[in-house]
Amino acid sequence: MEELLFFDSDFPEYEQLPRSFTIDFETIESNGKTLTKITYGNQQVGDFIDNNSRENDNYRFHDVFHYTFATVLGWSPCSRSMMKRKRKSKSDIDQFEDGARAAITEEAISLMVFDYAKKRNLLTKDNSVDSELLGFIKNFTSAFEVRKRTKENWEEAILLGYSLFRNLVKYNGGSVDFDMLNKTGTFRPY
């Protein structure tokens, strides 16, 4: 197995992404809306999520992509924020790598890939991602530490994320065990 570079290895453990962790995606019905409650370590992370769309496209499960990026790429400013693992001990890292611009970039990638996948049956039959899209993502992230990751790394993260996403949709929620050391995510239905 190739040596996996962790961007946060030189930081205190409380500022590192956990090398293994479980995220629960629970479906909640409230005021006629279907929402997703996400928990990590028995603590809710973020707000309840709906589809933020007139279309019921299950985007409410999209945070699985952020945790998959963290697991496969070692990069996810969104996961760092939700898990309270921002690298605040170094102000430039906190601002430039874990700050708003990096998180907005990650959210944009998540939404862009989501649109791409919707047009391809959520990548059900795909074992690759369009090279042009991967090239765009590489260019789009060139200002951040994740620039060290290859197109192949991004493809692996996207394909794993969609495998997990499809299971969350199928079972209307569930748990995902993430392992950064092996770059895996394992779905467990409730």
Side-chain angles (χ1 to χ4, degrees):
M1 182 167 104
E2 75 181 59
E3 183 177 326
L4 182 63
L5 166 73
F6 293 113
F7 296 118
D8 57 10
S9 293
D10 294 336
F11 287 82
E13 187 175 338
Y14 61 86
E15 291 184 347
Q16 294 179 12
L17 289 167
R19 302 310 188 234
S20 64
F21 57 98
T22 298
I23 302 292
D24 293 300
F25 296 83
E26 180 183 354
T27 297
I28 306 286
E29 299 294 333
S30 177
N31 298 322
K33 284 187 171 184
T34 302
L35 306 170
T36 298
K37 175 183 176 185
I38 300 172
T39 56
Y40 160 67
N42 298 320
Q43 294 289 322
Q44 181 172 341
V45 289
D47 297 325
F48 289 95
I49 304 173
D50 67 17
N51 291 324
N52 290 308
S53 174
R54 290 181 179 88
E55 179 184 356
N56 182 16
D57 58 7
N58 294 297
Y59 194 70
R60 62 194 176 89
F61 293 121
H62 89 278
D63 278 2
V64 74
F65 306 132
H66 301 306
Y67 297 112
T68 304
F69 293 164
T71 298
V72 175
L73 304 169
W75 178 82
S76 175
C78 295
S79 294
R80 281 190 188 285
S81 178
M82 291 184 286
M83 298 171 99
K84 301 191 181 345
R85 297 292 183 118
K86 292 178 71 172
R87 294 168 285 179
K88 293 187 173 287
S89 62
K90 291 189 179 175
S91 61
D92 62 327
I93 298 296
D94 181 40
Q95 180 181 1
F96 303 128
E97 298 294 348
D98 298 346
R101 185 173 178 177
I104 291 166
T105 299
E106 182 184 359
E107 286 288 5
I109 291 167
S110 176
L111 186 57
M112 179 177 40
V113 174
F114 188 75
D115 185 61
Y116 168 86
K118 274 178 36 177
K119 295 173 183 168
R120 289 159 183 81
N121 199 27
L122 298 179
L123 306 179
T124 304
K125 297 178 179 163
D126 294 30
N127 58 6
S128 65
V129 176
D130 183 82
S131 180
E132 196 172 313
L133 176 61
L134 295 171
F136 177 82
I137 291 170
K138 283 286 296 164
N139 288 333
F140 198 51
T141 58
S142 64
F144 305 106
E145 61 196 354
V146 74
R147 69 183 164 273
K148 295 178 180 174
R149 298 296 181 248
T150 65
K151 287 182 182 181
E152 291 79 15
N153 297 142
W154 275 101
E155 181 175 59
E156 180 183 355
I158 291 166
L159 293 174
L160 175 60
Y162 273 89
S163 171
L164 298 168
F165 180 84
R166 289 190 304 270
N167 277 316
L168 288 167
V169 170
K170 178 179 178 179
Y171 292 98
N172 201 25
S175 294
V176 182
D177 299 316
F178 291 98
D179 180 343
M180 287 182 69
L181 298 175
N182 294 301
K183 300 195 284 185
T184 60
T186 306
F187 175 79
R188 290 181 289 116
Y190 287 138

